[in-house]
Amino acid sequence: MISAESAPDSVPRTPDDVPGWFWRTDQQVFGWLLDRQTAAGTSGDILELGTYLGRSAILLGSHLQSGETLTVCDLFDSDAPDDDNSAEMAMSYRGSLTRRAFEANYLAFHRHLPTVIQAPTSVLADGRISAGSCRFVHVDASHLYEHVAADIQVARAALAPDGLIALDDYRSEHTPGVAAAVWEAVFEHGLRPVCLTPEKFYGTWGDAEAVGRELRARDWRGEGYRMDEDTIADHPVHRLAWDEPPGPTPERSRRSTVRRLALDLLPPVATRAIRRRSARRRG
């Protein structure tokens, strides 16, 4: 079993070796959106609220342009700000999520660390992230409604007019608070959906149609993805997913390995709950 203490000494050879839940489709969408911004001459900082052990932060750091900053905010091994958040941490992350592990993973792929804020994401409401300074924000911190709703407002203030937001776990059965906060932002606060994957919601408070047009221009289906179009809040939105071919594949092998490592890092109460959900799905 890999412990939190031993994890930093196991240097990942690829970002997929880092435990986490950041899969192929979202890796591609992140990269495509960030490359699109770079090609258009758009600059701005990148912000990640909730970074776990660094799997997505490593990709974000690879897309920084000259003069841009990546900031990550996470509790890591600090105490949670309230009882509900503390219970969430104890069930899912306590014992595996340490700043030391994150930094070791990140430095396996980059020469310098990002700006690290070890604190509840609520501290970012104090203005330390300049208004309109970011081109991309990834929100993957607490799954509690009140926290996610506040994180979305932090992201909105930080984003430039056409900046993009990615929100994790917007449709998982165990995260109804995220779904409530995300769709509230769409129907009450002007967030426009651009793309939906099985794990993440992508949107903007800017020109969603322009992003959608360029999204359609890439031959996702020719690359093996499924793409469908829907309409939400009078705006077109694309659903994108990757169907793994039958039989053993490197992607399936990596998922299995990362899942096993992540389960090893989690406390027993969390692993039992995850395995019970998996057994129900198989049944």
Side-chain angles (χ1 to χ4, degrees):
M1 177 181 294
I2 296 178
S3 67
E5 288 75 19
S6 65
D9 299 322
S10 304
V11 178
R13 291 174 298 173
T14 73
D16 285 338
D17 293 333
V18 177
W21 298 268
F22 184 50
W23 306 118
R24 177 186 182 123
T25 302
D26 293 297
Q27 292 171 12
Q28 288 292 311
V29 175
F30 269 47
W32 181 85
L33 290 172
L34 291 162
D35 285 343
R36 170 188 173 274
Q37 291 177 327
T38 299
T42 300
S43 61
D45 294 332
I46 300 174
L47 174 64
E48 182 165 69
L49 281 66
T51 198
Y52 191 48
L53 294 176
R55 193 168 178 178
S56 54
I58 290 165
L59 185 149
L60 293 172
S62 298
H63 287 269
L64 287 174
Q65 302 174 80
S66 177
E68 294 180 341
T69 298
L70 169 62
T71 299
V72 301
C73 181
D74 202 296
L75 282 171
F76 296 109
D77 29 0
S78 297
D79 292 333
D82 56 64
D83 291 343
D84 287 342
N85 197 191
S86 182
E88 181 184 24
M89 288 285 291
M91 179 175 178
S92 301
Y93 307 117
R94 187 60 69 206
S96 64
L97 177 56
T98 69
R99 181 166 175 173
R100 177 170 172 254
F102 164 78
E103 292 182 347
N105 289 333
Y106 192 88
L107 289 173
F109 302 95
H110 299 287
R111 294 182 59 188
H112 304 288
L113 287 170
T115 298
V116 178
I117 300 173
Q118 185 170 348
T121 54
S122 58
V123 304
L124 301 183
D126 66 3
R128 69 182 69 191
I129 305 297
S130 299
S133 63
C134 294
R135 62 182 173 112
F136 191 92
V137 178
H138 179 212
V139 178
D140 187 12
S142 171
H143 296 129
L144 302 174
Y145 164 76
E146 293 82 3
H147 293 259
V148 182
D151 288 347
I152 290 173
Q153 293 308 312
V154 165
R156 184 179 188 179
L159 282 169
D162 283 317
L164 297 161
I165 185 172
L167 293 145
D168 189 65
D169 267 336
Y170 74 101
R171 61 185 286 273
S172 299
E173 62 182 12
H174 63 289
T175 57
V178 181
V182 169
W183 295 114
E184 177 183 66
V186 170
F187 290 106
E188 300 293 335
H189 303 299
L191 178 60
R192 297 175 178 178
V194 171
C195 179
L196 307 176
T197 70
E199 281 76 31
K200 297 186 190 292
F201 171 108
Y202 297 84
T204 181
W205 280 274
D207 189 351
E209 283 77 8
V211 186
R213 283 194 300 272
E214 295 187 28
L215 188 73
R216 291 194 301 273
R218 174 169 168 174
D219 186 13
W220 294 93
R221 294 187 182 92
E223 297 175 34
Y225 293 87
R226 279 187 294 113
M227 176 181 271
D228 302 292
E229 186 171 319
D230 223 319
T231 301
I232 300 174
D234 297 324
H235 294 284
V237 59
H238 297 86
R239 291 180 284 118
L240 188 66
W242 166 258
D243 287 329
E244 294 178 6
T249 66
E251 174 76 5
R252 184 174 286 114
S253 177
R254 282 195 299 270
R255 279 179 178 255
S256 177
T257 300
V258 171
R259 176 183 169 82
R260 185 175 66 253
L261 291 174
L263 287 174
D264 283 345
L265 288 168
L266 294 176
V269 64
T271 59
R272 285 196 296 270
I274 291 170
R275 286 179 174 127
R276 281 197 299 270
R277 285 199 299 269
S278 296
R280 287 198 298 271
R281 287 169 181 164
R282 288 195 298 271

